[in-house]
Amino acid sequence: MGTRKKVHTFVRVKPTDDFAHEMIKYGDDNKSIDIHLKKDTRRGVVNNQQTDWSFKLDGVLHNASQDLVYETVAKDVVAQALDGYNGTIMCYGQTGAGKTYTMTGTTENYKHRGILPRALQQVFRMIEERPTHAITVRVSYLEIYNESLFDLLSTLPYVGPSVTPMTIVENPQGVFIKGLSVHLTSQEEDAFSLLFEGETNRIIASHTMNKNSSRSHCIFTIYVEAHSRTLSDEKYITSKINLVDLAGSERLGKSGSEGRVLKEATYINKSLSFLEQAIIALGDQKREHIPFRQCKLTHALKDSLGGNCNMVLLTNIYGEAAQLEETLSSLRFASRMKLVTTEPAINEKYDAERMVKNLEKELALLKQELAIHDSLANRTLVNYDPMDEIQIAEINSQVRRYLEGTLDEIDIINLRQIQEVFNQFRVVLSQQEQEVESALRRKYTLIDKNDFAAISAVQKAGLVDVDGHLVGEPDGQGFGLGVTPFSAKPGKKSKSKKTFKEQLSSSARKEGSSSPVSGKELDVSTSKTQLTPSSKEGDVKDMTIRERETSSLEPLPSDSPKEELRPPRPSTPPPKPVAFEDFKNERGSEINRIFKDNKSILNERRKRASETTQRINAIKREMDVTKEALNFQKSLREKQGEYENKGLMIIDEEEFLLILKLKDLKKQYRTEYQDLRDLRAEIQYCQHLVDQCRHRLLTEFDIWYNESFFIPEDLQVALKPGGSIRPGMVPVSRIMSLGEDAQDKFSQLQQVVLPEGPDSVAFYNAKVKTEQKHNYLKTMMGLQQAHRK
């Protein structure tokens, strides 16, 4: 387990024009906040009212930007999550103090985005910086409204509302919400789309304290799972980041809530009160029971409050004198949270498949080690693999020959051979016991010595004497006294068996069996064949029936040659994007392949040119540093005095090495610059080839599209090889542009036009898509209502 650490607590003060400078003061270290309250003179002369409070925190954020808040509060927690540590970031405070703005921010301005979208962006940026790991990201969005659990992402078309209500389930791995949808996100834009989808489903209301007040607690969770791409590492890490936006506490006298909003405020204050009780219990080291199950909020955050995670509390307060009592309450909660200790630990798990592969690899290495040891000990080549059927049969033969006396000793090779020898001894012994028992059963009727009723019956029949010995045996021609084999008794059954045995022997002779069939084999065969003929006949009948059915389903072969089956022509031409994909897979596959090959070569040359440019820049920077160092050495030599020997300037070793290094760097610079010029020429040529392939691909697609869907079917014959119309004679009305090229141009345009640069592209794309979706849904609902009216 990791080391215990305190919960980090920060305070963010909402900017205001009416800041109470006389009542709220910050410490010089910007980590403490002092509250001074004037005494109420109406209480009389004797007044023991407390007027001063001081709170020590990890940081006070006053007039802080969203960037500074994220760098201070959340950046380290998110960074450690990719190393396997769970993290929780919670915003707490009075209603309207800026919790939702701090956590989510606004979508209108990219710079004003909150902790949540910045955390998503940081996660995907760090994934790009770790190519040695395969990292998957999943997200979920939970809402707790009036002590009920809701999935904010259930409005997605592939999720749908749940039939059963969601419940909180605990297991040894932690706490999870049964029924909450978890969504895989492979890129940053998808994660932003899920975030914006959940934000539009949150429940908000308006009152005098806040125009858009959150009426529910929301928990956005990011699940991270990182596997090493190297096969040798069988461990993988999992972590989750809980971003909690709590609903604001409010005083009903100030907020003026009524009706439904009043009921919501009651549930919110109640759950926040239970949260504070849980925090007080966690801060008390003597407490054994923590009341997590008092409400859904504390139960859902059980493994995040004082668990094995990095936890940060951000308390939002007002800076105005009118809200000083609520500010004191929020600061008390922050000071109590600071007493809570957590024990962060890396969440490591083992991949069973990789573990098996590693064990197989280790087993192969151990076998190689044994082979080397055997060769050094001058032993014969020993096989340590499991024995196959041929080797087991050979050991069985050696054991039988050893028991018969034809083999003096069995050579010992390895441990597997010793175990198999003993196993074959057991097999031979078991077979001999079965043979002796079957021979006795064929010859005698075995009676248990303890079965006195059977013994007395046999003695009365005169078959056994007083000592228990048999009186006589059959002599082959008649029946004497004694118990005869069942097959030797006369009667119809024996005749039927005899004829059946004769049939078996005759069938064996017809099939060409060289060895005669013994009586023992006949007994076994009869016992078996009496059970099997009906099933075999049934199987044969079933097989014939199935063959007839399948033969009836198969088309009859015809002597005429098969004509090429052409799909029926659609009544309306398909959309050009769909037809273009079919064309690239069929008729234009070769041109498309050449186009892709040329484009891949062009991208590879561009990548090499970029790398060469980076190397040239690095060499140039190193040359500048070397020149500065050389000039410094020259100035130092000039100050100390120059020495000459036979007309030659004498310089020290360090300056000489700098001169050689600068000369070598200039040589590298010229070489790299020449390579860059060659690459640029190749890029220009490859770009020309790509443009030619694109033009040809589009031209031939347009020809194929017109000929396939606009020319009458009776003229299609003329387009075949040998016809009167050559391909391309149909006029081209419009050339369709490639979707990927248009997308590339749009992306480049976004990167140039957007003021925040390429980092904001995914954010704005997700925002636009979410707005388009909800505008479409609103329009459709309006049309349906108008149609009903």
Side-chain angles (χ1 to χ4, degrees), residues 128 295 420 472 748 758:
E128 294 177 357
C295 65
E420 191 60 38
Q748 294 175 2

Side-chain angles (χ1 to χ4, degrees), residues 486-498:
F486 180 76
S487 60
K489 292 182 180 180
K492 295 181 180 180
K493 292 184 180 180
S494 62
K495 289 181 180 179
S496 63
K497 285 191 177 183
K498 183 178 180 181

Side-chain angles (χ1 to χ4, degrees), residues 164-395:
T164 59
M166 292 189 296
T167 56
I168 303 174
V169 181
E170 297 184 35
N171 57 14
Q173 284 75 31
V175 178
F176 70 97
I177 311 300
K178 185 178 180 181
L180 180 64
S181 62
V182 181
H183 305 264
L184 177 66
T185 57
S186 58
Q187 55 185 354
E188 185 179 342
E189 183 177 334
D190 296 339
F192 285 145
S193 298
L194 294 172
L195 171 62
F196 297 150
E197 178 72 22
E199 286 296 318
T200 56
N201 297 326
R202 290 184 62 173
I203 298 176
I204 60 175
S206 177
H207 53 74
T208 58
M209 296 291 296
N210 190 1
K211 183 179 179 181
N212 297 315
S213 175
S214 300
R215 312 310 294 168
S216 61
H217 309 296
C218 294
I219 305 174
F220 189 92
T221 307
I222 306 172
Y223 305 89
V224 180
E225 184 174 317
H227 292 260
S228 175
R229 296 185 185 274
T230 59
L231 187 62
S232 60
D233 193 359
E234 60 203 23
K235 295 182 181 179
Y236 68 96
I237 59 174
T238 60
S239 61
K240 65 178 180 179
I241 309 171
N242 289 322
L243 301 167
V244 186
D245 181 14
L246 297 175
S249 60
E250 58 184 83
R251 292 200 175 189
L252 302 180
K254 291 185 177 181
S255 62
S257 301
E258 297 178 353
R260 180 179 63 85
V261 181
L262 175 61
K263 180 182 176 182
E264 293 169 351
T266 304
Y267 276 105
I268 291 171
N269 291 337
K270 183 179 179 181
S271 61
L272 291 176
S273 176
F274 287 142
L275 174 62
E276 188 169 3
Q277 291 178 17
I279 296 303
I280 293 173
L282 286 170
D284 188 358
Q285 301 295 332
K286 298 180 181 179
R287 288 284 295 269
E288 296 181 356
H289 173 70
I290 310 298
F292 285 118
R293 293 173 178 263
Q294 285 184 320
C295 65
K296 297 290 181 62
L297 175 63
T298 56
H299 197 187
L301 296 175
K302 179 179 178 180
D303 57 349
S304 301
L305 299 173
N308 64 332
C309 67
N310 295 312
M311 186 171 181
V312 177
L313 175 70
L314 181 58
T315 304
N316 296 82
I317 62 173
Y318 280 95
E320 301 171 358
Q323 311 295 336
L324 200 58
E325 293 183 1
E326 288 78 9
T327 298
L328 279 173
S329 177
S330 299
L331 291 174
R332 289 193 190 100
F333 181 84
S335 62
R336 288 164 183 162
M337 179 65 81
K338 192 169 177 58
L339 299 176
V340 178
T341 58
T342 61
E343 196 169 355
I346 298 178
N347 301 304
E348 288 184 342
K349 295 184 179 179
Y350 289 89
D351 191 344
E353 183 178 356
R354 289 194 177 186
M355 188 180 297
V356 170
K357 290 182 179 180
N358 290 340
L359 291 175
E360 290 177 350
K361 184 178 180 181
E362 185 177 359
L363 183 61
L365 292 175
L366 291 175
K367 288 180 179 179
Q368 293 177 2
E369 189 73 23
L370 285 173
I372 295 174
H373 182 270
D374 292 336
S375 62
L376 294 176
N378 294 325
R379 296 182 63 189
T380 57
L381 185 60
V382 181
N383 187 13
Y384 295 98
D385 294 329
M387 293 186 176
D388 53 13
E389 296 181 356
I390 299 175
Q391 293 173 337
I392 293 175
E394 176 63 25
I395 293 177

